[in-house]
Amino acid sequence: MADDPIDYNAFNAWDSFGATLMLGISPAIINYVFNEHDIGSSIVLAAVGLIVSLIVLLLALITRWKIIGTLVNLMGWILTILYGIIGGYMWYTQGKDSPPKHQASEEQKS
């Protein structure tokens, strides 16, 4: 009875890696979608996300600290809300500053 109950919702090292990888890849996807399919900077952002997630995996495997899963979960909540706000703002403001590409090219032809 003195044993702590098992928390089946806690993140282990591989859960932390997967969650961090998804959170790290999201800015690359947002960049690709809203910055005219800029592949170069999207690849750089995805590489940074992969490196961060590998660092989290190594840290979680080596130390076995339970706080890592908790922190990844907390950052997941915060970043998901932040990414939603940024994505909504980018979607709302997309195309308001400049005309669409097909209209701009037609205007240049005349």
Side-chain angles (χ1 to χ4, degrees), residues 22-99:
M22 285 190 291
L23 292 170
I25 296 294
S26 296
I29 295 170
I30 291 171
N31 180 58
Y32 181 77
V33 169
F34 292 112
N35 284 337
E36 299 176 1
H37 303 291
D38 183 15
I39 294 175
S41 62
S42 296
I43 290 174
V44 170
L45 287 171
V48 169
L50 178 63
I51 291 169
V52 168
S53 63
L54 288 173
I55 290 170
V56 168
L57 175 65
L58 288 175
L59 185 65
L61 286 174
I62 292 171
T63 62
R64 300 283 183 194
W65 292 338
K66 300 285 184 190
I67 191 75
I68 294 173
T70 304
L71 291 175
V72 168
N73 195 357
L74 178 64
M75 289 304 298
W77 277 97
I78 293 168
L79 289 177
T80 300
I81 293 168
L82 183 66
Y83 292 161
I85 291 169
I86 290 171
Y89 175 76
M90 298 285 284
W91 184 34
Y92 179 74
T93 60
Q94 185 180 16
K96 290 195 175 212
D97 295 337
S98 61

